[in-house]
Amino acid sequence: MIGRRLTGIDAARGLALLGMMATHIFPLYDEQTGDATWTALVFSGRSSALFAVVAGIGLALLTGGSQPRSGRALSADRRGIAVRALIIALVGLTLGGLETSIAIILFHYGILFLLALPFVGMPLRRLAVWAGAWMLLSPVLAYLIRPWLSSAVEPSTLDSNVSWEAFLEPGTLFADVFFTGFYPVAQWLSYLLIGLLIGRLRLSELPVQVGLVAGGIAAAAGAKFLSYYLLVDRGGFEALLETNSGRIWPLARMMEVNLAGVEQTGSWWWMAVSGPHSGTPLDLLHTAGTAAAVVGVCLLLTRAQPNLLLPLSAAGAMTLTLYSVHVWVMSVTDAQPVPPDPAWLFWISAVLAAAIGIAFTRLGSRGPLEMVTHGASQLARHGSLSGK
């Protein structure tokens, strides 16, 4: 730890940041063969899910960790989280005005933080029931409501990131953010609930850390095996090929990389898919499992040596700033007539992120945007910047 801070959690967040940067910089399909690249196979869907799960863990730690607060203290925590959510959403709206190919997640994060407020005071067992039920049922709700949204809202999906202009079409904005967009909040709340559940455990204890690794691997592998059985052995994939999307899209390859934007209608067999960004129960289970395992591994590695993963943990302690800078840099490189070499761009970005994070850590300071969110949160919670 740095002070009382679990550096393993920061390291997991830093790894999620690097994974998302990799998916933004490197191609996800091989130009010659059309096959998924290793970047897509390793990071697509998993990095952003890890980011969301760690966000849930962070909310749990902000509200007492394994001993959640209640009463006035919890009310103060909720005010702080609400202000934090507002600032994150505002940053997301600002970045949404940039010309970039990145699907920016920050506005959705702000909404997710607000939706998580009723859950931050829940006892562990009740929270576990909610997390499991939400993971199972929210994709069903989305499957049922998306066709209605497609007919009732025109258009039902934004053509770009959420920006200030999106509020001119409130129906489209609601549909995109909650059900039809790249990060559908209705399903993604599952990640924050799972993160909250993990954050309520005694994360510094060895059995918990080992359990996260073992349980996460079991959940991730089990989801993939069940999906394979249902789609291949039970004929689900053949049924999906008969749907409108199955006739239009190369589903076999997209299930390895990214199913965002594919209209999942016409067959309940879509619920058996586990591909990245499909938002199905098995996708949520697989990516939440990989996230739990990564968190467990990072906690184990930093158990005896808190600074063992310093390049990751230092960057992970200021991801709001580094993610925002990354989005701006990508908007600049996307506008260049000759794009830079992806490998060079990634490694320069990764090294700079680690170096900046370490510099701020050594100075005992937060990142610029982290300072703003922390200060505003303290004001909302206690009426002063000192937190007293």
Side-chain angles (χ1 to χ4, degrees), residues 13-24 39 43-44 47-48 346:
R13 191 185 295 109
L15 186 60
L17 174 66
L18 292 184
M20 289 192 293
M21 289 168 60
T23 61
H24 299 158
T39 300
F43 295 114
S44 184
S47 296
S48 52
F346 173 77

Side-chain angles (χ1 to χ4, degrees), residues 100-122:
T100 177
S101 58
I102 295 175
I104 300 170
I105 199 172
L106 293 183
F107 181 81
H108 303 76
Y109 262 35
I111 301 299
L112 286 170
F113 277 31
L114 294 176
L115 293 178
L117 290 177
F119 300 96
V120 295
M122 276 190 181

